[in-house]
Amino acid sequence: MHDVHLLHAAFPLTVGHAREGYRHIRLAVPVGGHRRAGALRIHPAPDHDVIDILDQLGARVGFPRPRLRRPSQTGIVCVEWGEPVPDEPYAAAHLYGYHPAAAETYARTHTRPTPEGLW
């Protein structure tokens, strides 16, 4: 990540519920500097997780235009913020604010622009 200082403004999001057998912590990193977009992948159920995440992102500085994107084949919900994320992995990595070497690695290892886990 080019602008590591953005991690100071990041905040944890808890996704899932113990009664349903899963709880995950995801770190939401704001946009700024070279980072012009962010995203997290989550399981779509329960729906109130998605609404709560969008509300939390929308209430904070550095998370403009929070929205949902559902990759059609996986059924996983991708919550995005900032500029629209392109489908091409190398371009997406640059939008996420990766260093050039990390963008190359991301492009080689990702066939989809939506990130695994944490962005």
Side-chain angles (χ1 to χ4, degrees), residues 31-118:
V31 298
H34 289 90
R35 183 176 173 84
R36 299 188 325 264
L40 331 148
R41 283 175 44 145
I42 61 171
H43 293 280
D47 288 337
H48 58 81
D49 275 347
V50 174
I51 294 166
D52 183 52
I53 288 170
L54 289 173
D55 287 345
Q56 288 184 59
L57 292 173
R60 293 180 179 258
V61 174
F63 297 91
R65 298 177 302 283
R67 61 198 173 274
L68 295 179
R69 177 173 159 171
R70 289 186 188 266
S72 60
Q73 296 176 343
T74 65
I76 300 294
V77 172
C78 185
V79 177
E80 297 178 341
W81 56 92
E83 293 182 21
V85 179
D87 288 335
E88 198 277 310
Y90 189 75
H94 280 286
L95 211 62
Y96 293 140
Y98 284 10
H99 256 269
E104 295 279 345
T105 301
Y106 181 87
R108 278 195 313 272
T109 59
H110 287 76
T111 58
R112 302 181 71 80
T114 51
E116 279 297 327
L118 133 104

Side-chain angles (χ1 to χ4, degrees), residues 1 3-12 27-30 35 118-119:
M1 175 180 250
D3 303 294
V4 294
H5 70 277
L6 292 172
L7 294 174
H8 294 290
F11 72 99
L27 188 64
V29 180
R35 183 176 173 84
L118 133 104
W119 298 100

